[in-house]
Amino acid sequence: EILGHPVVIHGAGRTDTGVHASAQVAHFDVASPIPPHRWAKVLNTRLPDDILILASCAVPGNWHARFSASWRRYRYVLYTDPQPNLYLKPFSWHYYEPIQVEKMQAAIAPLVGRHHLAAFHRAGSKRPHSWVDVQEAWCRRRGPIVELEVQASGFLYGMMRLLAGMLVLVGRDRLSVEEFTQIWQSERRDLVKYAAPPMGLCLLRIGYPNSDRKSVV
């Protein structure tokens, strides 16, 4: 609309319908007199109210929003108070049953490292393998809010929602820590049957080599 011709936008990662992003990164090739740092303001005048461009800049011709990224970080949020919170409802899973965060933490900690996580890989992905380098993974409680956060070199299709759904079973004592570990280590995708709802998931940050452009939440 601004340039008068189609423009291809390459995103750093995709999210399911209902999933949020506070740090999505995208790039596009353009020949325009508009200075690179002005594109954020120009685009914001044309975008809907629930999308905001935080910043824009010029990058080298061989830079790619997706393939140049060295890591991504996601957070899944559960709201565990019996009374719903209308302000948090669009951004969390209201799970009012008691859950034991300590057991969830014990279950997720061994995921750090390089693992074949086929158990958390939904069908429909074009990725030829399920190897993931998990750099950080933890679960914590802050009052009624339970946060599950994972940073990895890349994420499998549906990985975070499947992982969150299984960890809630651990927190509810419907699955032991040992059983959870055995399922993903033996790549039993058939035993991972439930994905957490999309609204609790948010793409937090994306890291690039030699760059200080990382959003912080």
Side-chain angles (χ1 to χ4, degrees):
E1 183 177 331
I2 296 169
L3 297 173
H5 61 77
V7 176
V8 178
I9 297 178
H10 302 271
R14 64 180 179 182
T15 55
D16 297 336
T17 300
V19 175
H20 308 283
S22 63
Q24 182 63 280
V25 178
H27 85 267
F28 57 92
D29 297 321
V30 61
S32 168
I34 300 175
H37 71 278
R38 293 280 297 171
W39 269 102
K41 185 174 182 179
V42 172
L43 290 172
N44 283 332
T45 65
R46 309 298 180 99
L47 289 169
D49 292 340
D50 59 348
I51 301 177
L52 177 68
I53 307 299
L54 299 176
S56 58
C57 67
V59 292
N62 62 351
W63 190 91
H64 196 285
R66 177 184 174 189
F67 299 115
S68 297
S70 54
W71 54 263
R72 296 163 179 81
R73 191 177 189 93
Y74 280 89
R75 176 187 295 161
Y76 195 92
V77 176
L78 299 97
Y79 185 72
T80 62
D81 193 272
Q83 185 72 22
N85 185 312
L86 293 182
Y87 295 101
L88 296 179
K89 186 176 181 180
F91 309 103
S92 63
W93 178 13
H94 183 212
Y95 195 90
Y96 50 86
E97 298 289 340
I99 54 177
Q100 302 175 68
V101 176
E102 296 79 9
K103 290 188 176 182
M104 295 170 68
Q105 170 61 28
I108 196 175
L111 284 173
V112 175
R114 180 171 174 81
H115 303 290
H116 199 253
L117 301 180
F120 304 119
H121 197 170
R122 281 176 54 185
S125 171
K126 295 180 180 180
R127 185 167 176 167
H129 63 82
S130 299
W131 288 102
V132 178
D133 291 303
V134 179
Q135 301 160 356
E136 189 176 342
W138 49 258
C139 185
R140 70 181 179 188
R141 176 183 291 279
R142 296 196 296 175
I145 296 175
V146 173
E147 297 174 336
L148 164 65
E149 203 157 305
V150 178
Q151 179 173 307
S153 58
F155 284 78
L156 306 172
Y157 180 43
M159 172 179 157
M160 278 297 294
R161 291 176 57 194
L162 291 170
L163 177 60
M166 289 292 285
L167 285 171
V168 165
L169 296 181
V170 175
R172 291 282 291 140
D173 268 339
R174 295 178 181 174
L175 196 67
S176 70
V177 173
E178 293 74 22
E179 289 171 331
F180 172 86
T181 303
Q182 178 63 27
I183 286 173
W184 69 259
Q185 287 185 345
S186 59
E187 304 177 18
R188 293 295 304 273
R189 177 66 183 87
D190 58 308
L191 298 180
V192 182
K193 299 180 180 180
Y194 183 71
M199 62 280 191
L201 184 59
C202 182
L203 173 60
L204 283 186
R205 310 172 192 167
I206 302 173
Y208 295 92
N210 304 318
S211 173
D212 60 358
R213 291 187 174 274
K214 304 170 187 175
S215 71
V216 178
V217 178

